Amino acid sequence: MELLGELSRGRLDVGESPDRRHWDGGPLAFCWESSALQAGSIVRFREFSVWERYRTGIIVTASVLVLQSVLIASLVFERRRRRLAEVESRRHLAAMAHLDRRAAMGELATSLAHELNQPLNAILQNAGVAKMLLSANAVPPELGEMADIINDIRKDDIRASEVIRRMRGLLQKHELESHPVNLNEVAQETVAIVGPDARSRDVRLEMNLADGVRSIMGDRVHLQQVILNLLINAMDAVGTMPPERRHVRLWSTQSQDEVRLAVTDSGTGIPADRISAIFEPFYTTKDAGGMGMGLAISRSIIEAHAGRIAAENNADGGATVWFSVPIRLDQTE
């Protein structure tokens, strides 16, 4: 190493450190730190650091490692996303297959309801003829209850025919129509349909319908389907509760410009972070047998009626799902 500056005077002063050194022209057998040199000194042939020697190689190697890490992470993420997509696709495929089977069963039920109407009409006619014969002739005392029995047959036959008529109307496929509809009447008809199912499940159905509810413009069958979905979901929700707590309440209110109908159950409620997701297609909270399409279809129907549908948990347990539909414009005056 050659030092210029103090070299011409044959002596180099490297500062005031305790290890003070002098150079008298002989060979140098030691090194100085650059910070110990005086200003203006020029250092030649000094040792290069690792960074200065291999900077390019270090940068290239580090870049390759970073790129490899990013590539590996992206591949792992893509593989995981693809696996989740495959699982979701298989689940949707199974749900669609189940939906097709239900649609086929719906067509079969419609055909079966049509076929059942004929024997029911025949029973009704025969009961009517028997009643006429009893009325036209003297009845022996031991057959005094025959008239009451025939009347019971006629009433049961008419009720069975009415249930089949409602089921046919519900199962038949048709486009959305708009007619004046009283939601209270639709709710009462729907409760009559699900009443036997509720009794078999030991569920207590209660109706609290507002008086004087005004008509709305909508499709009676589609709105009945919405109420039916809400009632069935509520009965499913209380199915795991003790019999004394299996309570479902259907109630309605009206404001100046809309009618609201709600179904409240006494079940376990809906997870707070899942309330908005229950209206998404193929989302279900049921352990088995749920397709996750009932509330999604209900939301589509209510939105087609320019209404709103929402769900919320009750303070005393359970959940409430409600929808509102605007009142006819000619009745808001």
Side-chain angles (χ1 to χ4, degrees):
M1 180 169 61
E2 182 183 357
L3 302 176
L4 303 180
E6 295 290 341
L7 184 60
S8 58
R9 292 193 292 272
R11 180 184 177 189
L12 178 61
D13 188 357
V14 295
E16 298 297 333
S17 63
D19 188 15
R20 188 179 181 86
R21 300 182 185 274
H22 302 278
W23 180 67
D24 296 325
L28 295 176
F30 51 86
C31 299
W32 294 282
E33 294 292 336
S34 299
S35 58
L37 300 177
Q38 294 183 357
S41 301
I42 299 176
V43 181
R44 293 182 178 177
F45 309 110
R46 68 180 178 83
E47 187 76 13
F48 290 104
S49 64
V50 175
W51 170 252
E52 291 172 332
R53 284 186 177 183
Y54 308 108
R55 176 170 52 191
T56 303
I58 293 174
I59 293 175
V60 172
T61 303
S63 301
V64 171
L65 291 175
V66 171
L67 289 176
Q68 285 181 343
S69 301
V70 172
L71 180 60
I72 292 172
S74 62
L75 289 176
V76 171
F77 175 77
E78 183 66 22
R79 182 174 180 273
R80 181 175 179 273
R81 192 174 66 87
R82 185 182 65 181
R83 179 175 296 178
L84 292 176
E86 290 175 353
V87 172
E88 192 74 8
S89 177
R90 287 195 295 269
R91 189 171 66 86
H92 287 176
L93 183 62
M96 292 302 296
H98 186 48
L99 185 62
D100 289 341
R101 290 194 295 271
R102 284 199 173 184
M105 290 301 297
E107 296 293 335
L108 180 61
T110 302
S111 176
L112 183 62
H114 176 71
E115 296 297 331
L116 286 175
N117 271 331
Q118 297 180 2
L120 286 174
N121 288 332
I123 294 172
L124 185 62
Q125 295 297 328
N126 291 333
V129 172
K131 184 178 181 180
M132 291 175 58
L133 291 175
L134 288 176
S135 300
N137 300 292
V139 180
E142 60 270 14
L143 299 179
E145 296 182 356
M146 287 298 298
D148 294 336
I149 294 175
I150 292 175
N151 286 332
D152 291 340
I153 292 174
R154 285 175 55 84
K155 290 179 182 178
D156 291 339
D157 187 280
I158 292 173
R159 186 167 69 250
S161 299
E162 185 65 18
V163 171
I164 291 176
R165 182 189 66 80
R166 291 171 179 169
M167 293 302 298
R168 284 189 63 188
L170 185 63
L171 293 172
Q172 285 178 344
K173 180 181 179 181
H174 67 281
E175 298 298 327
L176 185 69
E177 300 175 355
S178 184
H179 301 286
V181 177
N182 187 301
L183 274 183
N184 279 1
E185 295 178 358
V186 179
Q188 291 170 348
E189 292 181 1
T190 309
V191 169
I193 292 175
V194 302
D197 187 22
R199 287 190 292 271
S200 66
R201 300 188 190 196
D202 200 13
V203 175
R204 182 163 59 93
L205 277 178
E206 178 185 349
M207 282 194 299
N208 299 110
L209 303 178
D211 296 329
V213 171
R214 290 171 288 180
S215 299
I216 62 164
M217 294 300 295
D219 189 292
R220 189 183 193 89
V221 174
H222 282 80
L223 291 172
Q224 188 177 52
Q225 181 181 356
V226 173
I227 300 173
L228 183 63
N229 285 335
L230 299 186
L231 287 174
I232 291 177
N233 287 342
M235 289 191 295
D236 290 340
V238 300
T240 58
M241 307 298 292
E244 64 275 7
R245 292 193 56 187
R246 297 176 188 173
H247 182 208
V248 174
R249 185 166 67 96
L250 175 66
W251 51 280
S252 65
T253 59
Q254 70 173 344
S255 61
Q256 183 65 27
D257 55 355
E258 68 178 14
V259 176
R260 175 177 293 191
L261 194 143
V263 176
T264 300
D265 64 69
S266 58
T268 57
I270 307 169
D273 57 339
R274 299 295 184 180
I275 289 183
S276 60
I278 64 175
F279 297 101
E280 297 298 326
F282 302 111
Y283 179 84
T284 179
T285 57
K286 301 175 184 178
D287 295 334
M291 291 185 54
M293 291 297 297
L295 288 178
I297 294 174
S298 299
R299 181 179 65 176
S300 300
I301 292 174
I302 296 302
E303 290 178 349
H305 286 78
R308 300 176 296 148
I309 186 170
E312 56 191 29
N313 286 317
N314 306 324
D316 55 349
T320 296
V321 182
W322 60 267
F323 69 88
S324 60
V325 183
I327 296 175
R328 291 173 54 188
L329 296 179
D330 58 350
Q331 296 191 14
T332 58
E333 301 293 337

